[in-house]
Amino acid sequence: MSDFPIHSVLARCAAAVKDKAPAAMFGLRDEGYDSLYEQLISSLLSVRTYDETSTVVSRRLFATARTPEQMVKLDREQLIRLISEATFAPAKADQILTISQTIVDDYGGKTPEDYDKLVAFKGVGPKVASLALGVALNYPIIAVDIHVHRITNRWGYVATANPNKTRDALAGKLPKDLWVEINRVLVPFGKHVCTGSRPRCEICPVVDDCAQVGVRDRRYAG
């Protein structure tokens, strides 16, 4: 779809979900948890955890510790209790403590503003690093989760087999001013309109631009 009106499509998607809860990392940023460190830890906590849960867990954790220096003063069991609702809480607690100690020891307490250095931390994959950099610093990088992957393929804007390939395909064609915006918009849009099963095509503001790739069972009004 070389002539796909991506700016207009994303603007209409954003308008359709303007009254819905924002994607977790963007919501936390708007609440003031906007440092790269906070975004990195929140993104790590969000892995395989619902946004609604990871947001609550992040707020609770940051009420106790918001910097690497503060985090390493927590003992492991206290940290596990603080993040207990997150999936794999014990493993994530270990990762958070190790990451925080490394930032203190190797980077003077300043989280490195570098993708390669972030993904070198245990537990930090491409999506976590990309979200943290994009949301905290507006760094021009694309974070692809299941919603971005599903919707852009459903539109026919890309044709890829997995989120990593979607990220690479989008990097080759998505205008750079939308690299962070696409995640902010499509996470809530994917939850409330372009859902994984039975998408709500009857209320979709971009249905006329959508190739509906793979859509077999739509939800209808009433």
Side-chain angles (χ1 to χ4, degrees):
M1 281 193 172
S2 59
D3 58 348
F4 189 83
I6 187 64
H7 282 92
S8 171
V9 163
L10 277 184
R12 281 176 275 152
C13 290
V17 293
K18 66 183 180 194
D19 60 339
K20 305 298 183 184
M25 298 308 106
F26 293 88
L28 287 166
R29 178 196 65 186
D30 293 345
E31 292 176 24
Y33 303 108
D34 56 358
S35 72
L36 179 56
Y37 177 74
E38 289 166 327
Q39 284 293 317
L40 181 68
I41 299 304
S42 295
S43 297
L44 190 155
L45 288 170
S46 75
V47 175
R48 297 185 182 276
T49 301
Y50 289 118
D51 271 7
E52 296 79 5
T53 301
S54 64
T55 297
V56 171
V57 168
S58 293
R59 289 186 190 123
R60 183 192 305 133
L61 175 59
F62 294 147
T64 300
R66 295 184 65 171
T67 67
E69 293 86 352
Q70 293 170 345
M71 198 70 72
V72 297
K73 292 179 182 178
L74 304 180
D75 65 58
R76 181 176 184 270
E77 295 308 313
Q78 181 184 9
L79 180 52
I80 291 173
R81 288 195 298 271
L82 287 168
I83 66 170
S84 59
E85 293 95 338
T87 55
F88 313 118
K92 288 180 178 178
D94 291 337
Q95 291 164 357
I96 290 169
L97 288 173
T98 299
I99 289 169
S100 301
Q101 193 67 61
T102 302
I103 292 173
V104 170
D105 293 344
D106 296 352
Y107 298 102
K110 179 174 173 58
T111 306
E113 299 177 0
D114 182 277
Y115 175 85
D116 291 332
K117 290 178 179 177
L118 293 184
V119 295
F121 291 139
K122 186 175 181 180
V124 176
K127 188 189 83 167
V128 169
S130 298
L131 263 179
L133 288 166
V135 178
L137 305 178
N138 202 32
Y139 191 92
I141 196 166
I142 302 169
V144 174
D145 72 342
I146 191 62
H147 299 291
V148 174
H149 171 63
R150 179 183 69 249
I151 295 170
T152 54
N153 275 273
R154 186 173 280 171
W155 287 341
Y157 188 63
V158 298
T160 56
N162 59 59
N164 286 339
K165 290 186 181 298
T166 296
R167 182 194 62 213
D168 294 342
L170 288 174
K173 67 183 305 183
L174 185 69
K176 275 200 171 183
D177 63 306
L178 299 178
W179 280 21
V180 176
E181 179 76 353
I182 196 167
N183 189 278
R184 185 190 74 81
V185 172
L186 292 191
V187 170
F189 191 74
K191 289 181 178 180
H192 299 286
V193 181
C194 196
T195 50
S197 60
R198 303 188 69 214
R200 305 187 67 186
C201 299
E202 84 285 353
I203 66 165
C204 179
V206 299
V207 66
D208 291 339
D209 295 298
C210 179
Q212 299 188 345
V213 175
V215 175
R216 296 179 180 84
D217 185 17
R218 303 167 180 82
R219 195 182 322 180
Y220 295 97

